[in-house]
Amino acid sequence: MSFSCLAAAVVTRISHEPAFVLHSYAWSESSLIVEAFCRHQGRVALVAKGAKKPSSNFRPVLLPLQPLQLSYTPAASADADLHTLKGAEWQGGHVMPTGDALLAGLYLNELLLRLLARADPHPVLFDAYAGTVAVLATARGEALEPALRSFELLLLREIGLLPSLDVQTLTLQPLRREERYALVPEGGLRVANEGERASLAGAQWLVLQRALDESTPRARFAATLRACADLPGELKIQLRTLLQYHCGQPPLRTRQLLRDLQAL
């Protein structure tokens, strides 16, 4: 066997990869499939063998919304996308969100599962997600909304689905600070129709664009979080309409669950 063929046959182990569990489900009587969001590898699917056994070291660690370091062996075939988990360590830092914050975190996980392709790294988005989860661990009530809006904006921007928020999308005309504009699927940012509730003033869109234009990811996350704290619920309606459009059908399950709980 030539050296090049031998090198191709060697399976590289991924070690100490920062990650979060997005979702897990049964693979066999004792094992799980874990969908993880990794900082350098993107979204990956992992077989956690024996994870359902009471004695498994994986059992208390593979929880959503907790910062982890994962080690795994990639699939032997380049065409396969199911890898073998070898190790998982909790990195600490914050407690598990509860109540509405837990539902909010699961909503973020569902967005990532629906919108991110596997093996497509997004380290900037990973850091924004980690920062948002840390906020959810301590935020309650109305304080959750700015965290969700800022992550939705950063997610849409990172995956190329957010238009510039300082010009009208179709005409590229600059926004007028006092005029109202609506963000809509396919049409982007346009002048709002008379009486259209889901819209913001041009000045408000400009504040958001300045926050998204911050030079470093950390500054961008902090600025977007601050900007969203001062915005009304009209932004929520527009962003969630846009996200549902790109997620397609069926509707997001976590959003429906939240509606059902509020109705009760």
Side-chain angles (χ1 to χ4, degrees):
M1 180 183 294
S2 68
F3 177 79
S4 59
C5 292
L6 182 62
V10 174
V11 178
T12 302
R13 178 166 171 154
I14 305 297
S15 299
H16 307 299
E17 173 69 14
F20 286 87
V21 170
L22 299 178
H23 181 59
S24 62
Y25 53 93
W27 184 58
S28 66
E29 290 186 1
S30 62
S31 301
L32 294 173
I33 299 292
V34 176
E35 290 277 2
F37 182 32
C38 300
R39 190 176 193 277
H40 304 105
Q41 308 300 322
R43 183 166 74 88
V44 297
L46 306 164
V47 178
K49 295 181 179 179
K52 294 168 66 177
K53 295 179 179 179
S55 59
S56 173
N57 292 330
F58 290 143
R59 190 181 178 93
V61 177
L62 295 178
L63 301 174
L65 307 176
Q66 294 294 292
L68 306 175
Q69 276 195 352
L70 303 181
S71 298
Y72 64 90
T73 302
S77 169
D79 297 330
D81 59 2
L82 190 57
H83 315 299
T84 303
L85 185 65
K86 294 298 185 181
E89 298 178 7
W90 181 57
Q91 297 305 292
H94 60 77
V95 299
M96 173 76 77
T98 59
D100 288 348
L102 175 59
L103 282 176
L106 296 179
Y107 162 69
L108 300 186
N109 288 359
E110 188 175 8
L111 285 179
L112 293 176
L113 285 167
R114 297 278 285 269
L115 292 173
L116 295 187
R118 286 202 178 125
D120 184 15
H122 290 279
V124 172
L125 181 61
F126 179 91
D127 292 344
Y129 173 85
T132 305
V133 169
V135 172
L136 295 182
T138 57
R140 294 292 182 272
E142 294 182 358
L144 296 174
E145 293 299 323
L148 292 178
R149 299 295 81 75
S150 62
F151 183 78
E152 288 167 345
L153 282 165
L154 292 165
L155 169 62
L156 286 165
R157 177 188 171 97
E158 178 67 15
I159 60 179
L161 298 178
L162 186 71
S164 295
L165 302 181
D166 55 0
V167 296
Q168 298 179 54
T169 302
L170 296 181
T171 66
L172 299 182
Q173 292 296 310
L175 302 191
R176 296 180 178 179
R177 296 181 63 83
E178 302 304 322
E179 191 161 4
R180 297 190 70 83
Y181 300 87
L183 181 63
V184 297
E186 295 190 349
L189 200 60
R190 59 158 173 78
V191 175
N193 299 320
E194 185 175 353
E196 188 169 9
R197 177 171 172 263
S199 63
L200 296 175
Q204 294 171 312
W205 289 117
L206 291 172
V207 167
L208 287 173
Q209 185 62 54
R210 284 196 296 271
L212 292 168
D213 285 340
E214 286 287 346
S215 58
T216 66
R218 179 172 294 184
R220 193 176 308 137
F221 174 74
T224 307
L225 189 60
R226 288 194 301 271
C228 289
D230 297 328
L231 292 177
E234 285 82 353
L235 178 63
K236 173 179 179 178
I237 297 171
Q238 296 171 86
L239 289 180
R240 294 206 164 176
T241 299
L242 185 59
L243 285 162
Q244 185 62 71
Y245 173 82
H246 289 295
C247 286
Q249 295 298 325
L252 292 164
R253 291 179 295 174
T254 45
R255 192 180 299 172
Q256 186 59 50
L257 175 60
L258 185 57
R259 289 197 194 101
D260 294 342
L261 291 174
Q262 289 171 340
L264 291 174

